[in-house]
Amino acid sequence: MALLQHGGLTLRLKFIIKQPLLRSYSTCTGIRFAASNNSDIDMATTFAAQRAPSLLQRLADARARTDELFRIVRPEALYDRPIPERHRLIFYTGHLEAFDWNLLGRRHFNLPSFDPTFDQLFAFGIDPVGGGLPKDVPEDWPTRAKVSDYNQKLRGALDDRLSASFDSRSENSAESQQLLEVAIEHRLMHAETLSYLLHQLPLDRKFHHADSPAPSAPPAQPHMIRISAGTATLGLRAQKNSFGWDNEFDEHQVTVPEFRIDAYKVTNREFLNFHSSGGYQNRSLWNDADWNWLQSSGTSHPSFWIFHEGKPFLRTMFDEIPLPLDWPVYVSHAEASAYARWSKKELPSEAEWHRAAYGIPSGAHNLKHEERAFPWGEELPSANRGNFDFQKWDPAPVGVHPAGASGFGVHGLLGNGWEWTRTIFAPFSGFKPFPFYPGYSADFFDGHHFVMKGGSSRTAACMLRRSFRNWFQPHYPYVYTGFRCIEY
Ligand SMILES: [Fe+2]
């Protein structure tokens, strides 16, 4: 999904976007943000502004977000494959529209297909584990013009039907709302994973954008914080008007013994010490599978790092800069696990991460809630709480959002990079796959994916809800994911 615009589409939704597009309002679970001066989305011609504004407006916002990403790609790079394990960019230009179309247009509204071959071709991405890289060539894919034409027809037909549906309230059912939520969050997830892809695209293959500056703050001093024993509530309770993906259900509680956790994410400075001390050559720090991956891939440092004449630099989204030592390091699960062994610590479990993020110190008085909705409290996410919701392309130094600290004083839990846990991604008790998307989670309950919590600078605000779970395989080094350690 990285095309230049959906070239010349005459959609019912027309966007006028000034760069950079920061938040207009992104909502999920009812979270609503004030419009930024930096975005100007002309919704005068849309149905969204008049009817059922919440969901349809959110779909319009999400489309604007992904359309913006496609415009980063230079035309000559459209058939590039920036990450060997993923599809070529041309696939993603069709995938987002085909997904919405297959889910809402074909399945829910029973609309006739414009092109069954494209409906299938663009239906699903890939996540190969253990080799087996895709071998297709650019000539295997349709032309940009054909994909644009397909996209244009889908959006037009779908918007007509959505407009009619939300116009007649009888069709504005719980099911259609749920499916629309799925389409919106699926698209917003791709707004983040597309950023991973485009990050790996060579700088001369994309149009440059300036990043927003991070808040300034004194350098954070690494230390650990005691988390008292207590209860962590994981998952989501099924209730009306509350959306969650299949893997978030059901809500349940886990008793967590006392532990200590890093106050900040591990920084490039700290990880450079691990690297300089020979961590990538020390066999004893890696389990067998991770060591085999290290050797076969030739990995000798984080994928976002690059060395020039022995000096470390960071490949940001649009530049190469001297390694920012106070930024969180982004690494694979294998590299995070090796660092944890080197420092004689561990990665947190999913429940321990929850306890550190949402729990409240025992003995605290006059507290309305035993656990919080967000690390900082019950207030909805806002820019001063962390680096999330597309505020920036790249990370900010750890510790620059003190207003986002948890009840225990742990910083930067939401935003500025997902965080690895040692928990293998698996279903909660009560898991039921969505009948309309049975493989969303179940295809990854294979013991080879680990839970990530938190969020990155490119994570939409809606996915900052407490129950949201992300996951990746341990040897995939391109995600915006760092980590922090614990000890007992
Ligand atoms: Fe997808």
Side-chain angles (χ1 to χ4, degrees), residues 1 91-92 95-96 99 122-126 186-187 189-190 193 437 440:
M1 86 174 47
F91 165 81
Y92 299 94
H95 173 60
L96 292 182
F99 182 91
F122 292 112
F124 295 108
I126 49 176
H186 170 263
R187 186 176 287 266
M189 285 182 215
H190 273 290
T193 56
Y437 195 174
Y440 171 71

Side-chain angles (χ1 to χ4, degrees), residues 237-258:
R237 189 184 320 152
Q239 54 190 340
K240 200 176 175 189
N241 297 326
S242 175
F243 174 75
W245 291 88
D246 54 4
N247 65 67
E248 295 175 60
F249 298 102
D250 277 339
E251 184 180 277
H252 60 286
Q253 295 191 314
V254 177
T255 300
V256 180
E258 179 182 315

Side-chain angles (χ1 to χ4, degrees), residues 121-412:
L121 178 67
F122 292 112
F124 295 108
I126 49 176
D127 180 34
V129 176
L133 298 179
K135 302 227 173 1
D136 57 274
V137 296
E139 293 71 27
D140 292 335
W141 292 90
T143 64
R144 174 190 168 196
K146 282 189 176 170
V147 181
S148 293
D149 181 60
Y150 171 74
N151 288 343
Q152 180 178 355
K153 286 177 180 158
L154 302 196
R155 269 203 195 181
L158 185 57
D159 289 351
D160 283 344
R161 193 64 185 83
L162 282 171
S163 180
S165 174
F166 280 83
D167 208 16
S168 68
R169 298 195 173 181
S170 60
E171 284 199 48
N172 186 4
S173 63
E175 184 185 359
S176 46
Q177 292 188 35
Q178 183 191 38
L179 295 179
L180 209 41
E181 295 261 21
V182 165
I184 292 164
E185 290 210 2
H186 170 263
R187 186 176 287 266
L188 289 171
M189 285 182 215
H190 273 290
E192 175 163 1
T193 56
L194 260 179
S195 297
Y196 305 164
L197 269 179
L198 299 186
H199 205 120
Q200 299 303 318
L201 197 61
L203 298 179
D204 61 359
R205 306 287 280 176
K206 52 190 169 185
F207 293 107
H208 185 273
H209 291 56
D211 203 0
S212 307
S216 60
Q221 298 301 320
H223 62 280
M224 300 194 82
I225 291 176
R226 175 181 165 272
I227 308 295
S228 57
T231 299
T233 302
L234 279 64
L236 185 62
R237 189 184 320 152
Q239 54 190 340
K240 200 176 175 189
N241 297 326
S242 175
F243 174 75
W245 291 88
D246 54 4
N247 65 67
E248 295 175 60
F249 298 102
D250 277 339
E251 184 180 277
H252 60 286
Q253 295 191 314
V254 177
T255 300
V256 180
E258 179 182 315
F259 63 101
R260 288 155 49 85
I261 190 167
D262 288 337
Y264 306 101
K265 291 190 213 312
V266 171
T267 61
N268 285 318
R269 175 184 286 106
E270 293 169 293
F271 204 83
L272 191 59
N273 288 336
F274 165 75
H275 180 270
S276 303
S277 74
Y280 280 81
Q281 290 77 44
N282 187 341
R283 174 68 181 86
S284 68
L285 299 177
W286 305 76
N287 69 30
D288 290 348
D290 292 352
W291 182 254
N292 289 339
W293 164 73
L294 205 65
Q295 302 308 305
S296 62
S297 65
T299 300
S300 59
H301 54 74
S303 73
F304 293 89
W305 292 10
I306 190 166
F307 285 84
H308 293 307
E309 298 176 350
K311 293 190 177 136
F313 287 74
L314 186 76
R315 287 190 345 132
T316 64
M317 185 64 161
F318 297 109
D319 209 348
E320 279 183 16
I321 61 173
L323 189 66
L325 297 176
D326 294 323
W327 290 15
V329 67
Y330 287 167
V331 288
S332 66
H333 188 274
E335 292 161 296
S337 300
Y339 177 98
R341 285 190 198 96
W342 174 74
S343 59
K344 301 192 172 14
K345 297 175 186 170
E346 291 188 41
L347 298 181
S349 69
E350 184 178 12
E352 286 164 340
W353 193 95
H354 266 259
R355 175 74 182 144
Y358 304 108
I360 290 171
S362 55
H365 298 294
N366 301 320
L367 294 170
K368 191 174 172 187
H369 306 278
E370 292 185 357
E371 288 176 280
R372 295 171 166 179
F374 299 97
W376 53 83
E378 306 308 304
E379 301 84 8
L380 299 177
S382 55
N384 67 324
R385 304 288 192 185
N387 180 18
F388 43 64
D389 201 36
F390 310 104
Q391 290 174 56
K392 285 174 55 59
W393 290 103
D394 291 301
V398 300
V400 297
H401 293 98
S406 76
F408 285 104
V410 183
H411 288 248

